Amino acid sequence: MIERIAFTFLLALVLVLVSALVNTMLERRLMAFMQSRLGPNRHGPWGMAQPLADALKLLGKEAVIPRGVERLPYLAAPILAFLPSVLVLIATPLSSRFQIEDINLGLVYVVAVGSLTVFGVLLAGASSDNKYSLIGGMRAAAQMLSYEVPMLLSLAVVGLLAGSLSLSAVVRAQNIPFAFIQPLAFFVYLAAATSEMNRTPFDFNEAESELTTGYITEYSGMRFAFFYLAEYAGLTVNSILIATLFLGGPRGPFEAGPLWLALKVLFLTFIFIWVRSTLPRIQVHKLTSFSWKLLVPVSLLNVVYTASVVTLSSAPRLLAIAPASLLALVALGVAFSRRGRSLTAMRRAVQ
Amino acid sequence: MRGAAKGFRVTLRRFFAPKETQRYPEEKPALPERSRGPFELTFDPVSGKPLCTSCGWCTRICPVEAIKVDYVEAISGVMYSAADEPTLAVSEAEAEAEAIDEAALQSILDGYDESRGGLIVTLQEIQERFGYLPRRAMRLASERTGLPLPKIYGLVTFFHQFLLEPPAKTTVFVCRGTSCRVRGGKSVLRRVQRELGDIGVDEKTADNEFYLRTFPCVGECSHSPIIGIRDEYHGRLSRGGIRRLLKEKA
């Protein structure tokens, strides 16, 4: 039993570490390309050895523990921030045959474990004895209150469509990927995941231009690297989750396998990097109002509607749900840009 | 919402577009003719003797007087006397080629006044009158101001506006500033070059009609990419617009 747990954990750990290294490279290169630059291309073919060089450099750095920090939480925070990625990966089906552990409450488990990252961030902020860190940590906590609710609501939609809370059952239920049946829930989940990963436009707790690097400010060397790894591992793990929940996971046109999953994950990673290099950070309170005034009510209605269709109607789900979901998504976009326009009009009137 | 979509389109297009980065050690930049790099003592591969004869010309031409030549016999093996020092005398042919209006030049130089901008203003006036800075004008300016000629040369080559040889009838500038570069300045330059018969930068057309130059930045970034022709700036020209402009001003 213990052997099995150790093996499971180790396997997930290796997967997460490798993907995090690959992601740092991907992000730097792809972002550079979108900014008309080449990015790091000096080490190895196409610069692929750059992450190794980075890792070596960080390993060689002195691990400073500043005076005045609260030692235990300060030391535990990087690990706590990193662990959830590994734990989430354990429950996701990587191919039709391979899943490290098929938990029958997979959806619940994934959310419960995934949101632990915030505790690491909060601890780091609170124990660092630095105002920037503290503000970063508090922002992380406040931010979680904004994105976690719509995220859960769109997960509920997935559960309703699949008729089960097990992740492998969710994959099995997707003869048509849920992203096509429920584009609204897909979009809401994407936005919430961006927020959970602290990526632009929602990277409030790092916010280099406002908070130096927020909760990471007092960390250096390998402990800093752990936060860094946690972020990039989060990118992969969230992409895997989204692929599993909405894009059919390892299923493809033929022979379900890890290749399809990898392609979907790469696609989603590209999208996230694309978003990062395009959108600037929004104001902190805007996420809260965007989430509570738009995403939550819309997602709630979505849950109610999906539930009623699933229980009452015998019609094919795609026909009953997809048009309504798409319409709601378009309405959401229009409402959002309308609001922006009326704001500009108001500002003009004031001037 | 539309604004955001626009942003995504821009980043995606940049993703596939060619990159601006110059891979430096492999890809050396084409240096302009007037650029001055560091110098080194080179040796004759056969005799092993230094090619420098310690003539001292470099100390004279260096605009910032950064070079000092110390003669060491063990290296050079050749000694030059003061009589061998090059003089600044103008050759007859050169003087003839520069048959210029001496009286006009003299009156401009008489107006030299340190309190209203000094040498640069005077040089601008000379260029306005003659279209470029003749050698003789610079030499007389050196005498008038008491500044050594290399200093004046350094100043003249520092500012892009000064020309050292008679320009063609029409000078065309293409801006190379950051803003112009991002907004397609390179393809504008290529377009102008093609229209003028594939001439290079700092070259004249065969019929001496056009002189093509580039400008570091003209400060009209809101209209970039910029083409300057005579004393006017034109921004955001289409291909047809470039052709029409060149025809019109020829």
Side-chain angles (χ1 to χ4, degrees):
Chain A
M1 185 62 194
I2 287 178
E3 275 164 34
R4 182 165 161 69
I5 291 175
F7 171 74
T8 317
F9 189 77
L10 212 66
L11 188 67
L13 186 67
V14 168
L15 273 173
V16 163
L17 280 176
V18 169
S19 65
L21 285 180
V22 171
N23 273 346
T24 57
M25 193 61 218
L26 267 181
E27 169 134 291
R28 291 176 71 181
R29 286 286 265 178
L30 294 185
M31 258 213 336
F33 268 50
M34 288 173 187
Q35 295 163 345
S36 286
R37 302 181 288 119
L38 286 174
N41 62 348
R42 291 284 135 176
H43 298 300
W46 303 293
M48 283 189 322
Q50 183 70 39
L52 296 180
D54 290 341
L56 267 179
K57 186 199 84 172
L58 283 171
L59 271 174
K61 288 226 168 182
E62 183 188 356
V64 182
I65 302 178
R67 220 178 306 140
V69 302
E70 211 147 328
R71 268 184 95 92
L72 188 65
Y74 177 84
L75 297 179
I79 300 165
L80 215 60
F82 177 73
L83 265 186
S85 308
V86 181
L87 295 179
V88 166
L89 200 64
I90 289 174
T92 43
L94 299 177
S95 87
S96 54
R97 259 161 278 132
F98 184 70
Q99 182 173 10
I100 300 178
E101 198 63 76
D102 189 7
I103 302 169
N104 58 5
L105 275 175
L107 278 181
V108 177
Y109 167 81
V110 158
V111 183
V113 166
S115 48
L116 279 179
T117 309
V118 177
F119 285 103
V121 173
L122 191 56
L123 269 187
S127 64
S128 281
D129 193 27
N130 175 319
K131 60 187 171 188
Y132 292 124
S133 304
L134 186 60
I135 295 173
M138 296 318 280
R139 277 186 180 188
Q143 190 179 348
M144 192 183 108
L145 295 179
S146 304
Y147 69 74
E148 202 78 1
V149 176
M151 188 180 224
L152 277 168
L153 288 174
S154 38
L155 274 181
V157 168
V158 169
L160 282 169
L161 286 175
S164 164
L165 291 179
S166 140
L167 283 173
S168 59
V170 167
V171 170
R172 255 178 279 123
Q174 293 185 68
N175 290 325
I176 302 152
F178 287 165
F180 295 119
I181 301 183
Q182 263 293 356
L184 179 64
F186 179 54
F187 171 78
V188 171
Y189 194 91
L190 269 183
T194 316
S195 183
E196 190 184 25
M197 287 184 284
N198 308 321
R199 292 180 62 85
T200 30
F202 308 125
D203 58 337
F204 308 126
N205 44 27
E206 269 182 63
E208 277 118 350
S209 47
E210 302 161 28
L211 302 179
T212 59
T213 41
Y215 65 98
I216 319 181
T217 307
E218 294 295 348
Y219 284 90
S220 59
M222 269 325 272
R223 280 192 263 284
F224 162 79
F226 255 87
F227 278 119
Y228 201 67
L229 280 177
E231 253 168 52
Y232 283 98
L235 182 56
T236 302
V237 167
N238 271 291
S239 298
I240 291 180
L241 257 186
I242 295 168
T244 311
L245 296 174
F246 291 98
L247 301 177
R251 294 177 69 161
F254 51 86
E255 185 71 43
L259 178 69
W260 292 114
L261 186 65
L263 280 177
K264 287 166 188 171
V265 168
L266 269 180
F267 171 72
L268 286 168
T269 308
F270 180 84
I271 298 279
F272 282 125
I273 292 172
W274 189 14
V275 168
R276 181 177 167 191
S277 54
T278 304
L279 297 178
R281 187 183 320 123
I282 63 171
Q283 288 167 23
V284 179
H285 63 274
K286 290 249 172 84
L287 173 67
T288 319
S289 77
F290 174 64
S291 170
W292 285 101
K293 289 183 185 164
L294 271 170
L295 292 186
V296 170
V298 168
S299 305
L300 261 177
L301 286 177
N302 195 14
V303 171
V304 172
Y305 179 72
T306 312
S308 41
V309 170
V310 167
T311 45
L312 298 179
S313 146
S314 55
R317 282 170 189 174
L318 179 66
L319 288 179
I321 300 175
S325 176
L326 200 64
L327 206 71
L329 184 57
V330 171
L332 193 71
V334 169
F336 199 55
S337 46
R338 264 279 167 72
R339 218 181 40 151
R341 217 173 298 149
S342 59
L343 268 181
T344 0
M346 239 161 65
R347 238 176 265 132
R348 240 177 245 144
V350 169
Q351 284 167 356
Chain B
M1 214 62 184
R2 287 244 305 281
K6 217 168 157 185
F8 281 109
R9 217 179 55 216
V10 169
T11 37
L12 195 63
R13 200 179 304 149
R14 287 270 172 247
F15 182 76
F16 291 109
K19 305 294 172 275
E20 294 289 342
T21 309
Q22 207 167 38
R23 299 164 184 80
Y24 168 62
E26 293 92 35
E27 226 176 74
K28 296 261 161 48
L31 290 173
E33 208 179 311
R34 288 174 176 188
S35 106
R36 307 181 204 91
F39 47 83
E40 59 178 6
L41 191 59
T42 46
F43 293 86
D44 189 313
V46 182
S47 66
K49 281 186 177 174
L51 290 171
C52 171
T53 57
S54 56
C55 70
W57 184 236
C58 51
T59 60
R60 286 168 174 278
I61 206 163
C62 176
V64 288
E65 293 169 3
I67 309 175
K68 189 171 165 249
V69 174
D70 268 337
Y71 168 76
V72 181
E73 192 160 7
I75 295 178
S76 170
V78 193
M79 183 90 169
Y80 277 79
S81 67
D84 293 323
E85 271 195 15
T87 55
L88 291 173
V90 190
S91 72
E92 263 176 54
E94 207 180 310
E96 204 171 311
E98 286 198 343
I100 54 171
D101 188 345
E102 286 276 342
L105 182 59
Q106 208 57 57
S107 79
I108 293 173
L109 283 171
D110 287 341
Y112 168 74
D113 181 359
E114 219 166 307
S115 64
R116 45 152 217 136
L119 186 56
I120 294 181
V121 173
T122 307
L123 290 174
Q124 279 171 336
E125 283 170 359
I126 293 174
Q127 176 151 317
E128 211 169 291
R129 173 70 178 74
F130 298 103
Y132 73 112
L133 293 177
R135 278 169 174 243
R136 174 132 183 84
M138 281 194 279
R139 194 160 299 113
L140 289 179
S142 161
E143 278 165 27
R144 174 72 180 78
T145 59
L147 285 168
L149 196 53
K151 276 256 176 193
I152 292 181
Y153 181 76
L155 181 136
V156 164
T157 50
F158 179 80
F159 292 104
H160 214 77
Q161 54 173 271
F162 291 123
L163 300 176
L164 288 174
E165 47 188 296
K169 214 172 106 195
T170 309
T171 304
V172 184
F173 289 100
V174 178
C175 182
R176 267 187 173 165
T178 314
S179 171
C180 289
R181 192 182 176 117
V182 169
R183 305 203 51 160
K186 272 201 283 190
S187 58
V188 165
L189 178 62
R190 269 199 301 276
R191 193 76 214 164
V192 171
Q193 284 178 309
R194 202 167 312 149
E195 289 295 332
L196 298 180
D198 284 323
I199 60 169
V201 175
D202 286 330
E203 279 178 18
K204 296 173 198 172
T205 47
D207 55 4
N208 215 33
E209 279 289 331
F210 287 103
Y211 179 33
L212 176 62
R213 304 195 73 200
T214 57
F215 213 86
C217 180
V218 296
E220 291 287 340
C221 305
S222 53
H223 302 291
S224 54
I226 296 283
I227 294 181
I229 191 155
R230 303 220 166 110
D231 291 332
E232 301 163 9
Y233 293 136
H234 299 267
R236 293 188 188 165
L237 288 172
S238 61
R239 287 176 183 190
I242 292 173
R243 178 176 301 159
R244 236 172 294 128
L245 182 71
L246 292 175
K247 267 220 182 90
E248 207 175 283
K249 299 284 172 183

